[in-house]
């Protein structure tokens, strides 16, 4: 079955450590997105990519980095520069920038200890 | 600026009907999405409206008025499994989604 797989589902990190969240899709979608979700707030866009080897900053990119070396994969690194990284992170994809609805992965919950 | 407003929480009774409203202000408009999200899970797509009017899909319907910057999601014959958050999102002229904070719907027996 086609879909989006995020891992890990739960992750604990000590302050000062970088962590990488994995996102893989087999839907053959060109566009991929990373969102952050905090209680009482709408989804906030971190980074997005419309094509391999290209990506753009979203509204809250500071302290995060991404890569898009393969169409299927769009990993997100939460760096030690992110001041408040504890959150629920959602990866999503859709066929193209201007087409179709978003398909979401199951999410990764990051807790900084 | 761009903004989406929807109620924070609503309560309804099993078997009843509930309407969740959403108002939006965006730079340009390329459609309005509704998603359902159960606690701790990913959002799932419910509906998309780009033209004025009502779209019906089983127990769920979605309405759009572009001139008023207004949409609603109508849920009929409520079931306990409909307890979830409902997210409204508008797509702007750059095809970016602007998200509301979500409406938590509580269904009581």
């Amino acid at each position: 079955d086609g879909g989006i797989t995020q891992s890990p589902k739960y992750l604990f990190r000590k302050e000062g450590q970088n962590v990488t969240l994995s996102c893989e899709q087999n839907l053959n979608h060109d566009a991929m997105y990373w969102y952050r979700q905090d209680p009482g707030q709408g989804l906030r866009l971190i980074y997005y990519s419309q094509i391999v080897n290209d990506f753009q900053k979203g509204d809250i990119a500071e302290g995060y980095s991404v890569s898009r070396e393969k169409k299927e994969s769009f990993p997100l690194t939460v760096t030690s520069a992110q001041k408040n990284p504890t959150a629920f992170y959602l990866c999503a994809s859709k066929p193209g920038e201007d087409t179709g609805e978003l398909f979401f992965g199951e999410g990764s919950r990051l807790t900084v200890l | 600026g761009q903004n989406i407003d929807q109620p924070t929480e609503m309560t309804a009774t099993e078997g009843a009907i509930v309407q969740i409203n959403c108002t939006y202000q965006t730079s340009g408009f390329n459609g309005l999405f509704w998603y359902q999200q159960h606690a701790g899970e990913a959002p799932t797509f419910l509906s998309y409206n780009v033209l004025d009017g009502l779209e019906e899909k089983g127990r769920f319907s979605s309405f759009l008025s572009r001139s008023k910057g207004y949409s609603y999601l109508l849920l009929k014959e409520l079931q306990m499994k409909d307890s979830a958050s409902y997210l409204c999102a508008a797509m702007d002229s750059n095809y970016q989604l602007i998200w509301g904070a979500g409406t938590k719907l509580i269904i009581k027996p």
Side-chain angles (χ1 to χ4, degrees):
Chain A
D1 285 336
I4 301 178
T5 302
Q6 286 186 242
S7 63
K9 189 163 186 177
Y10 298 96
L11 183 63
F12 296 89
R13 182 194 101 175
K14 292 182 179 179
E15 282 192 19
Q17 289 181 334
N18 293 355
V19 293
T20 297
L21 307 180
S22 170
C23 178
E24 303 278 333
Q25 55 99 359
N26 60 3
L27 299 166
N28 199 34
H29 286 172
D30 285 319
M32 296 188 73
Y33 302 79
W34 274 105
Y35 287 96
R36 170 178 171 143
Q37 188 173 37
D38 295 285
Q41 297 189 41
L43 299 183
R44 292 185 290 168
L45 183 63
I46 305 173
Y47 269 99
Y48 65 102
S49 169
Q50 297 165 20
I51 197 169
V52 175
N53 291 324
D54 187 46
F55 48 83
Q56 285 79 41
K57 293 182 179 180
D59 299 320
I60 56 165
E62 185 174 351
Y64 299 97
S65 65
V66 293
S67 62
R68 186 87 186 275
E69 297 176 1
K70 298 186 300 181
K71 186 175 185 176
E72 302 79 17
S73 179
F74 192 41
L76 174 74
T77 296
V78 184
T79 75
S80 57
Q82 169 49 234
K83 298 303 178 188
N84 187 20
T86 295
F88 189 51
Y89 291 89
L90 286 161
C91 180
S93 72
K94 58 177 181 171
E97 178 198 26
D98 59 346
T99 59
E101 74 270 17
L102 283 172
F103 294 80
F104 285 89
E106 292 189 350
S108 295
R109 185 167 297 280
L110 172 63
T111 302
V112 174
L113 304 173
Chain B
Q2 305 197 100
N3 191 51
I4 303 279
D5 282 317
Q6 55 181 129
T8 302
E9 187 174 296
M10 299 182 71
T11 302
T13 304
E14 190 176 15
I17 299 173
V18 70
Q19 178 175 311
I20 303 174
N21 296 325
C22 170
T23 58
Y24 64 89
Q25 286 181 303
T26 55
S27 301
F29 180 73
N30 279 301
L32 193 291
F33 293 82
W34 284 96
Y35 283 81
Q36 180 190 61
Q37 186 179 26
H38 286 99
E41 298 182 9
T44 54
F45 171 77
L46 290 177
S47 68
Y48 170 67
N49 296 65
V50 66
L51 300 176
D52 286 354
L54 186 68
E55 297 271 349
E56 297 187 70
K57 196 184 292 186
R59 294 189 299 114
F60 292 9
S61 302
S62 57
F63 171 84
L64 176 68
S65 169
R66 293 177 65 136
S67 62
K68 295 182 179 179
Y70 168 69
S71 174
Y72 67 72
L73 181 68
L74 191 71
L75 290 75
K76 302 177 184 176
E77 300 169 14
L78 285 170
Q79 302 175 9
M80 297 304 293
K81 67 178 181 179
D82 297 330
S83 292
S85 288
Y86 291 85
L87 313 181
C88 173
M91 184 176 283
D92 68 14
S93 57
N94 294 320
Y95 300 101
Q96 294 301 321
L97 285 172
I98 313 302
W99 293 85
T103 298
K104 182 178 181 180
L105 178 63
I106 299 168
I107 310 295
K108 295 186 175 180

